[in-house]
Amino acid sequence: MSNRSKRSGLRLLGCFAVAALLHGGIQSAAASEVHKRAADANALASGEESKPAPLSTRKLGKGPYYVDFRARTAASWGHAFVWYGKTSERKVEVAGLTPAGDTAAYMLGYVTWVPSETGASYGDLDPDYLTASYRVYLSEPDAKKVFAYIQKLKANSPVWSAEVSNCTAFIGDIASFMGLKTPVRWLRPENYVNKLKEMNGGRQMVSLSPEQ
C-alpha cells in the first residue's frame, strides 16, 4: 500500500472516530439537557413568569382558548414556539422543536438530523426573553382539534434539523392546520412570527373548516 493510501485511510479512520465521539457525546448531553430544561421549565411554571398576559374573555369576546405563536432570544439564532391553553386559566402549555442536546448537537444539526425535544425549553416561559408574539383565539370545539394536532405533531417530531425540521417549520405546521398563511421557514424566529401576523392581517379569531 502506498504512503498516500495509508494517509487517506488514517484520515478516514479519524473521521469515523470523531463522528462516534460526537454521537456518544450528543446522547449523554441530550439526556442531561432534557433533565435540566425540564427542571428549569417547572421552576418557571411555578413562579410569576409562567402567567400569560391577563385577558378578559368577556371584554374581548374571543376565545376562551388560544394559540400564541412566540419567539424569544437564544444564544444564537433564537427560538420559535407556541403557548396554548385557556384564557381563564393561569396554566400554559408549551410546544416547540429544539435539538435534544447542547452546542454540539445544535452545530451537528446544520449538516444532519439530530434527536429533538418538543416541550418547554429554558426561556420559553420568561417574558424577559420574548421578542415577538401573535395570539389567535379559538372556540372550544376548534381548540380541541388544534390541541390534539399539536400533541400529534410533538409525538411525530423525533428529529431536528436547522435547514429542514426546525422550530419555525414546527410552528408553521400548527399555523397551517389552523388555516393561517405561513412564511418560509428560513426566517429568524422573531421575523417569522411578525411575518406570520402580517400575512394574516393580524386576525385574532380562527375558525377551522368543518372537514377538520
Side-chain angles (χ1 to χ4, degrees):
M1 181 183 292
S2 67
N3 289 336
R4 178 178 298 179
S5 298
K6 289 180 180 179
R7 287 196 297 271
S8 297
L10 287 173
R11 282 197 296 269
L12 184 60
L13 182 61
C15 289
F16 282 128
V18 170
L21 287 171
L22 274 174
H23 179 69
I26 287 169
Q27 285 186 322
S28 60
S32 61
E33 185 70 7
V34 167
H35 292 303
K36 175 181 180 297
R37 292 183 178 183
D40 289 337
N42 288 335
L44 284 170
S46 64
E48 291 298 316
E49 294 89 343
S50 64
K51 298 179 184 177
L55 293 168
S56 169
T57 55
R58 198 173 304 172
K59 178 182 177 182
L60 290 171
K62 300 161 186 159
Y65 297 86
Y66 68 90
V67 174
D68 196 342
F69 299 92
R70 300 170 75 84
R72 65 166 174 81
T73 58
S76 55
W77 191 253
H79 180 49
F81 55 101
V82 295
W83 279 10
Y84 60 103
K86 191 173 183 179
T87 56
S88 60
E89 296 178 355
R90 289 173 55 182
K91 181 181 179 182
V92 57
E93 299 290 339
V94 181
L97 187 65
T98 59
D102 55 11
T103 305
Y106 176 79
M107 296 303 295
L108 191 59
Y110 274 86
V111 294
T112 188
W113 283 269
V114 296
S116 74
E117 58 184 64
T118 56
S121 58
Y122 184 78
D124 290 355
L125 296 168
D126 192 335
D128 290 340
Y129 294 108
L130 186 67
T131 55
S133 174
Y134 173 39
R135 181 169 291 200
V136 181
Y137 299 94
L138 301 154
S139 66
E140 182 173 357
D142 284 349
K144 288 181 179 179
K145 296 176 184 177
V146 172
F147 295 175
Y149 181 78
I150 293 173
Q151 292 303 116
K152 180 180 178 182
L153 192 62
K154 291 174 69 174
N156 290 281
S157 300
V159 294
W160 178 89
S161 163
E163 297 297 328
V164 182
S165 305
N166 58 17
C167 61
T168 51
F170 183 87
I171 70 167
D173 282 344
I174 299 170
S176 293
F177 181 81
M178 295 169 62
L180 297 170
K181 300 174 183 177
T182 57
V184 294
R185 66 170 66 107
W186 298 285
L187 295 176
R188 282 184 175 272
E190 177 181 358
N191 296 338
Y192 186 93
V193 172
N194 287 331
K195 187 66 175 177
L196 177 67
K197 183 176 183 179
E198 177 188 331
M199 290 178 66
N200 292 281
R203 61 186 291 195
Q204 292 185 299
M205 190 73 190
V206 166
S207 296
L208 272 62
S209 65
E211 292 78 18
Q212 287 181 282

